[in-house]
Structures are given as structure tokens and as C-alpha cells.
Amino acid sequence: MHRDVAEKLAKLPPDEQVLLRPLVDTSRWFYVGAAVCGAITLWGIIAYVLQVRYGLGRTGLNRPEYWGIYIICFVFFIGISHAGTLISAILRISKAEWRRSITRSAELITVLVIGFGAIQPVIDLGRPDRVLNVLFHAQPLSPLLWDVVSIGLYFFSCTIYLYLPLLPDLAVIRDSGIKAPRLYRFLAAGYRDTPAQRLQLERAIGVLSIIVIPIAVSVHTVIGWIFAMTLRPMWHSTIFGPYFVMGAIYSGIAAILVAMAVLRRVYRLEGYFKEVHFDYLGRLLLIFSLLWFYFTFAEYLTAFYGGEPGEMRTFWAKLTGRFAVPFWAMVAGCFVIPLALMSRQATRTPVGTSIAGIAVVIGMWLERYNIVVPTSVNPRWEIEGVGHYLPSWIELSIMAATFSGFILLYMIATKFVPIVSIWEIKEGRASVQEVAERVAHYSERVA
Amino acid sequence: MTRWGMVIDLARCTGCAACEVACKSENNIPTVSPDQAEMGRATSWMRVMAEPKGAFPDTTLEFYPRPCMHCDNPPCIKVCPVRATYIDPEGIVGQIYPRCIGCRYCANACPYTVKYFNWYGPEWPESERQYRNPDVSVRAKGVIEKCTFCHHRLQKAREDARAQGRQLREEDYQPACAEICPTDAIVFGDLDNPTHRVAELKEDPRVMRLMEDLGTQPKVYYLRQRT
Ligand code: SF4
Ligand code: SF4
């Protein structure tokens, strides 16, 4: 860190000092991490170039396993993207005070991960060169088209929803002059944080947080419908829309928890990501693990009770057959582990929640695997026989690159924007009195 | 209204797979290497499926020649984001290869798994290349393809009939599989035309269609084994 930057930083109030430090002070480990992520991403890009050159034959896909890792990752990443916007919007609307320090990191996940999710189906295309046909020859009855529309809308609204609450912080960085003055002058877009501007800003955020909720819900509903609209056994189910939305929020919360635990350690944010935040998010995670069980149970019981032969082949393949390992690993990751850890106060700690979070993230990936693959390899017509699927190194490399690419972008983003919203923290500190009054009002006796 | 369809008599089918071979050479379907075939990447628009029946030692094989069913209510069409698969007014479900983006959604939506994807570009040994059918386009890598009821033959038959100033006759338009079948198990024609054999055969008491309960309304009918 340059001496004059350090001086400028030292002149700022304490919150700014801590939260803006990562923008100007970068450790060696950051570069090591970035280099590793960058290398993996590059490797994946090479794998993709090979795939485009030689054809999808380079994957492990076949008939009847037409969809594989890419579609699994598509559902998975778009699911993670429900972290931010949805959670932060719901918490904002419900005036949960503890949200203040976590919204930014969550919203950032959302915006960065959508792109990585949205490219997956394009990677999966046999003819990526014709992807624009989706616009030129749009066929509105296709759920894939609904997806294009709703993910597009989602990306657009989430980006604004990330950007607006960034404005006051960008203005602070601009005024402090600690980093890239021109860039921040541009980004802050003349925002001066006058009371009038602040009022307008908060109104806009309020409206947006209402708008993004139905959009977010539509996104994963439609992804569920991609499967549900076909006549395939164990896909053709009305529960898929809500099931996918619930799963998306679940994996989103898990992702926030993991991200928060890491950020807290590397940027020393113990004063912002407190035990209580992990505790509260842990409780949310607990609720969702129960919801997850409820939905999964309902889905499987309905299929089992109906006992339709086509469905049963897929059903048993999952429960006791070839997919028993991923299936029960999913149950462990999505239900047993989070339930065990999150139902006790003693394990709703940063460490406990991150373990549960990682388990849920893995479990939710497996859930998508268990949706896509077992149904694909069990065609409805029994004489077809059972298919098989072994992902190739190309698919696995592209998947690894997607993860590392996302982590890399997230790391870089923490170098450009404060990962905790400074103005919202300050506003929170200033409004303690008001909140106390509000809370007192809840329990006031009415004469 | 013309509705092209097919009736396949399972009691006549001997499982010789002549239809499969005829289809492949008619429609420029390249053969793939054994390990690709092992991976489930062989293409066979018409495929003779075999189902073992009975308990040992009294076992038999039952054969189901299986083309695209050319459903009247085809689930494959609804899901295509770019309208690269369509049903024409005479009921033939076709593919627009130059438009398909290769998402394989239609393949997943088809309950009969009759859609084939071009995992690699097509390749022929030098000796076979000259025998490709000039009437059928060769599909590029990355697109979906399937049985077309030899749609190109219909176009040709129509032109011929028009040139000779007469109506299209039943024997003018026959797909390669129906033409080749040595036991006459595959009968093709206009389901709505009472003078065509299929119109009568589809009223046979042995008639059935695959997965009729799905409501896809296949235009390929099967006549069950005689018991
Ligand atoms: S059999 Fe499959 S591909 Fe053929 S029309 Fe029916 S759904 Fe479409
Ligand atoms: S693979 Fe081609 S024909 Fe099938 S749904 Fe996709 S674009 Fe349409």
C-alpha cells in the first residue's frame, strides 16, 4: 500500500477504514489464489475450444443421455444465484436489521453467478454458432424460450439491484480518493448523498426489492418446467416448479454462508459478520433443510404410490439401484448434515454453518445430478434398455473452470467494491434508537 | 386430407433388419466406429428392437421395427425453441437441419427416443462415399435428426405425377423401409384414403400403437403377434 493511500485511508472513519482496506491492500495469497483460479479457468476454456472444434462427441453424452454435466451445472449455478437478490430483498422488505452487513456479499454472488449459469446451456449446444436463432426464430411455446426471457430479465434487474445500493459507497470511495479516481467518478455517477438523493435511492431500492422477488421466483420455476414439461418419468411432475425455487433458495443460503465465512477470515470482518449472523442464517438453513425434506418426500411418495412402471424404474434406480450412492449422498448433504448441525445452538457457529453450507452446496449439486441423469438413462420404452453416462474430462474441466471462474470474479470484485455495505451499516448504527422504538411499539399495550 | 402413416405387422416381421439397412443407405446415415456405437452414438432412424419373451427354454424374440411415430400430437415440436422441428399439413414430422441449434430438448421430449444427435461430423470411408443419396442432405455435426418417412421421395413422386398429369398413387410414394421389407410387414400410405391398404389395416383387431395413453397419437400402427 502506498504511503499516501495509507494516509488517506487513516483519515476515514473507522467503518470505512476496515471495509475499504481490501480495495487498496492486497496480500500475496490473493495473487496466489487468483493465479490458481485463473489457470483452472484457462484450462476449461481450452477444453471448450476442443469441444467446439471436434463436436459434442468429446463429451460423455450419448443417446438416451442427451443432457449431462452442463445442464446439471446450469440448474445448479442459477440456483446459487438465488442467494443474493431473493434473500436480501426479502430481508430488506421485512426490515430485518441484521441483514445490513450481509446483503452486499449476497447480491454480488447473484450477479456474478448468473452469467456462469446462463452460459452452461450455450456450452451444451451442438451449434453454439446458431444460438441467435433463439431470437430470430423464437418459438414461444418452448420452455427454453421462457427461460431466456426470465433469466435475461433477472440478470438485468439484479444488476441494477446490486448497483443502486452501491452508489453511496462508490461516492465515498470517489471522495476519499484512495483508488482509481476516474473509474469511481464514473461509477458513482454524480451521486452526492444529499438527503434528497438518499431518499430517492431508498425508494428505488424499496421498489426494486419488490420487483425482483417475482422475477427470481419465475427463473427457477421455469427451469423446473424445462424438465416438467416433458413426458419423461419423474420429470413430468407439477411439484418441479416450487421444488426448484425452494432448492435454489436453499443452495443460495448455503453459498452465502460459505462466502461469509471465507470473507470474514481473509478480510478480518469479524466486526461485521458476527456470530449472530451465522446463527440467524443457520436457522434459515435449518428451515430450508426441513422444507427440502418435505418436498423431496412428497415427490417420491407420489411417484411410488402411483407405481407406474416407467416411473418405478427410475425411482428404484435412484433409491437402491445404480444411483443409490449419489442419491443417499444427496440426502446426507441436503438433510441429515444440515439438520444435525443447524438444530443445535452450539453448532450454529461460523465453522458449523460453513460445514453445513458446504454439505448443502454439494448435496444440491447432487440433487440436480439425480434429476437429470437417472431419468435420462431410463427411457420410457423398456425395450430401449438402460443407458449409461460417464462425463469426459472435457465436461469436468469446463465444470471446474466454471467454479474457478466464478471464484476469481468474486475475488476481483472484492477489490473494487466494499463487500459490506458501508452506508447501510452506518444507517443501522444511526437508527438503533428508532428500531428500539419500533420494537417497543410491537408490544405496547393498546388501551 | 392426406395423413401419411404406417402399419407394421409384427407377426410378419422376421427381424432381418433389411429396413434398417435400407434406411441407412437411403438417408445417408454414416456408420460409426464400434466403440462409438458402444457409447450409444450409433444412428438408426429405423431400428429393429428385440424383446425376449417367455421363460427358458421356451423363449422367443419379438421384433419391433421402430421408426419415428410421426405423432399427430408430437411432444417434440412444442419444446423446440427455434421451430427446427415441425409437422407438415400431411402429418409428416420434419427437421430443419440448418436451423437446429442442437439443444437436444426435442430428443428428451420424445417418449419413443427416436431422435439422434450428430455428436461428430459425418464421415464415410472412401469406398462408400460415391453411393450417397443425392436427394438427401447430409447432416452437419451438432444437429438432431430422425426418420422423415423418406419425405424426399414424396416430393419426387409428386413431381413425377404432376409431370405425367395424374393423381399420386399409393405405390408412387413408399419409404425405403416399406419398399425393402421382404415379408411385406411394413405397409405405408395415406391413413385417410380408403383405397390405401393402411386405412384398412389400421382397423384390424390386432392393431395397437406405442404408449397410446400418452396422447401423442402416433401414425405408426402395429399389428400384434397372432396368438
Ligand atoms: S416419435 Fe418422437 S420424434 Fe417422432 S413425432 Fe413423436 S415425439 Fe416427435
Ligand atoms: S435439438 Fe434442434 S430440433 Fe431439437 S429442440 Fe433443439 S433446436 Fe429444436
Side-chain angles (χ1 to χ4, degrees):
Chain A
M1 200 179 355
H2 263 290
R3 169 117 30 94
D4 55 329
V5 172
E7 271 168 17
K8 280 179 190 162
L9 195 63
K11 276 202 221 105
L12 294 170
D15 278 328
E16 276 88 338
Q17 279 196 29
V18 181
L19 295 175
L20 293 183
R21 174 168 283 276
L23 273 67
V24 290
D25 185 14
T26 302
S27 75
R28 192 174 319 132
W29 288 112
F30 180 88
Y31 291 109
V32 174
V36 172
C37 286
I40 299 176
T41 312
L42 212 64
W43 175 258
I45 293 173
I46 295 173
Y48 180 62
V49 170
L50 285 178
Q51 176 184 306
V52 170
R53 187 160 151 53
Y54 294 105
L56 276 176
R58 285 294 162 105
T59 63
L61 298 169
N62 55 59
R63 193 188 75 95
E65 177 71 39
Y66 298 104
W67 285 345
I69 292 282
Y70 303 140
I71 297 298
I72 297 170
C73 283
F74 166 57
V75 184
F76 173 77
F77 283 109
I78 299 285
I80 296 280
S81 88
H82 282 55
T85 311
L86 206 56
I87 308 281
S88 96
I90 292 172
L91 294 180
R92 270 213 180 94
I93 292 175
S94 59
K95 293 193 176 173
E97 281 301 315
W98 57 276
R99 70 162 196 275
R100 290 179 184 278
S101 56
I102 63 173
T103 47
R104 171 74 44 81
S105 52
E107 286 155 17
L108 211 53
I109 294 185
T110 297
V111 171
L112 296 184
V113 98
I114 297 178
F116 285 97
I119 56 165
Q120 298 296 321
V122 180
I123 294 176
D124 184 66
L125 289 187
R127 302 297 303 216
D129 52 322
R130 296 182 187 161
V131 63
L132 288 181
N133 280 2
V134 173
L135 305 178
F136 300 149
H137 301 285
Q139 199 274 99
L141 288 187
S142 169
L144 273 187
L145 211 79
W146 308 344
D147 231 5
V148 171
V149 173
S150 97
I151 293 181
L153 209 63
Y154 186 49
F155 183 64
F156 181 69
S157 55
C158 289
T159 311
I160 303 180
Y161 187 65
L162 169 73
Y163 178 66
L164 283 187
L166 261 175
L167 273 174
D169 289 358
L170 293 172
V172 167
I173 304 172
R174 176 196 61 201
D175 297 340
S176 69
I178 52 167
K179 189 169 178 149
R182 270 215 223 116
L183 175 69
Y184 285 98
R185 206 172 308 134
F186 171 72
L187 285 177
Y191 184 81
R192 296 269 154 225
D193 212 14
T194 59
Q197 277 182 334
R198 175 67 75 93
L199 190 70
Q200 265 181 344
L201 182 74
E202 294 201 341
R203 264 208 208 123
I205 296 175
V207 172
L208 258 180
S209 45
I210 294 172
I211 294 178
V212 294
I213 291 178
I215 298 180
V217 169
S218 83
V219 167
H220 237 248
T221 306
V222 172
I223 291 184
W225 283 350
I226 289 187
F227 299 99
M229 294 301 155
T230 68
L231 292 168
R232 302 297 291 265
M234 301 217 55
W235 281 2
H236 189 52
S237 150
T238 54
I239 207 173
F240 263 37
Y243 188 31
F244 273 52
V245 174
M246 182 279 307
I249 303 175
Y250 190 25
S251 64
I253 300 173
I256 302 182
L257 274 168
V258 178
M260 275 169 55
V262 174
L263 289 168
R264 171 175 141 115
R265 252 201 91 111
V266 294
Y267 292 143
R268 310 244 57 95
L269 296 176
E270 286 85 353
Y272 300 90
F273 297 152
K274 298 187 176 154
E275 301 264 330
V276 64
H277 293 112
F278 291 91
D279 181 20
Y280 283 6
L281 278 178
R283 283 166 201 258
L284 260 185
L285 202 66
L286 175 65
I287 296 172
F288 272 88
S289 72
L290 294 169
L291 269 178
W292 182 88
F293 178 78
Y294 167 69
F295 273 86
T296 311
F297 185 73
E299 186 203 350
Y300 283 83
L301 181 69
T302 315
F304 175 71
Y305 205 97
E308 211 230 302
E311 301 250 333
M312 291 321 283
R313 279 198 300 279
T314 308
F315 180 90
W316 290 119
K318 293 195 205 191
L319 261 73
T320 55
R322 269 201 298 159
F323 299 99
V325 174
F327 180 85
W328 293 107
M330 160 188 90
V331 174
C334 290
F335 185 59
V336 182
I337 298 175
L339 182 74
L341 287 173
M342 294 300 100
S343 52
R344 290 176 55 227
Q345 182 86 44
T347 42
R348 274 200 306 272
T349 56
V351 176
T353 47
S354 356
I355 295 175
I358 291 171
V360 171
V361 168
I362 297 174
M364 287 308 295
W365 190 92
L366 286 172
E367 183 198 286
R368 278 63 186 255
Y369 176 90
N370 289 327
I371 288 172
V372 173
V373 181
T375 293
S376 294
V377 299
N378 281 291
R380 195 178 265 274
W381 199 19
E382 210 177 348
I383 312 179
E384 274 286 349
V386 182
H388 53 84
Y389 176 52
L390 200 69
S392 72
W393 70 267
I394 297 238
E395 288 168 282
L396 297 176
S397 306
I398 291 177
M399 179 168 107
T402 311
F403 276 96
S404 63
F406 163 67
I407 295 172
L408 182 63
L409 266 196
Y410 200 79
M411 285 168 72
I412 295 174
T414 64
K415 293 290 158 194
F416 284 90
V417 296
I419 199 65
V420 172
S421 173
I422 301 175
W423 68 275
E424 285 186 85
I425 289 283
K426 288 192 154 170
E427 193 183 60
R429 295 203 208 286
S431 62
V432 170
Q433 178 70 28
E434 185 199 311
V435 173
E437 276 166 21
R438 189 172 87 215
V439 174
H441 175 72
Y442 297 154
S443 40
E444 240 167 43
R445 180 173 298 142
V446 183
Chain B
M1 199 44 204
T2 314
R3 268 172 69 247
W4 299 108
M6 191 179 264
V7 178
I8 303 176
D9 190 341
L10 299 179
R12 283 174 175 242
C13 176
T14 60
C16 71
C19 51
E20 243 187 85
V21 178
C23 173
K24 287 194 189 210
S25 61
E26 174 74 17
N27 289 299
N28 295 333
I29 295 171
T31 27
V32 296
S33 66
D35 49 311
Q36 285 293 305
E38 184 73 13
M39 271 189 85
R41 283 161 176 194
T43 301
S44 237
W45 290 3
M46 168 57 110
R47 190 152 160 242
V48 181
M49 320 275 286
E51 188 181 30
K53 278 270 159 82
F56 184 80
D58 289 322
T59 48
T60 49
L61 277 181
E62 241 171 52
F63 299 103
Y64 290 87
R66 186 236 47 197
C68 165
M69 303 291 137
H70 293 268
C71 310
D72 262 346
N73 179 22
C76 57
I77 286 179
K78 284 186 260 185
V79 300
C80 177
V82 297
R83 229 186 289 267
T85 167
Y86 63 93
I87 182 162
D88 78 6
E90 303 193 340
I92 295 180
V93 176
Q95 291 288 134
I96 306 174
Y97 309 121
R99 188 189 287 177
C100 170
I101 59 173
C103 66
R104 309 186 292 293
Y105 197 0
C106 55
N108 273 326
C110 167
Y112 307 96
T113 28
V114 307
K115 296 210 129 181
Y116 291 85
F117 187 69
N118 286 278
W119 303 101
Y120 290 111
E123 265 177 47
W124 281 271
E126 201 50 54
S127 57
E128 274 178 36
R129 192 161 301 166
Q130 50 177 317
Y131 299 114
R132 282 184 306 194
N133 184 350
D135 291 340
V136 177
S137 56
V138 169
R139 282 76 57 190
K141 109 183 151 198
V143 301
I144 279 279
E145 59 181 58
K146 67 162 189 69
C147 156
T148 60
F149 270 172
C150 293
H151 190 245
H152 55 283
R153 290 190 170 200
L154 173 60
Q155 285 169 352
K156 217 171 180 181
R158 245 203 205 115
E159 280 161 25
D160 287 351
R162 199 175 300 137
Q164 294 163 18
R166 58 171 173 81
Q167 292 280 309
L168 196 66
R169 291 179 309 234
E170 182 178 355
E171 62 272 24
D172 288 341
Y173 169 36
Q174 291 290 314
C177 54
E179 183 185 87
I180 204 84
C181 178
T183 61
D184 211 11
I186 304 178
V187 182
F188 183 83
D190 176 2
L191 297 167
D192 285 356
N193 186 335
T195 65
H196 284 205
R197 285 191 297 158
V198 284
E200 187 193 330
L201 283 172
K202 78 171 202 295
E203 306 301 335
D204 192 287
R206 286 189 292 137
V207 87
M208 61 135 189
R209 291 183 291 178
L210 290 178
M211 297 176 223
E212 219 152 356
D213 52 331
L214 294 182
T216 51
Q217 305 188 24
K219 282 196 291 294
V220 174
Y221 293 78
Y222 290 92
L223 301 185
R224 284 194 192 85
Q225 300 284 358
R226 291 176 205 279
T227 39

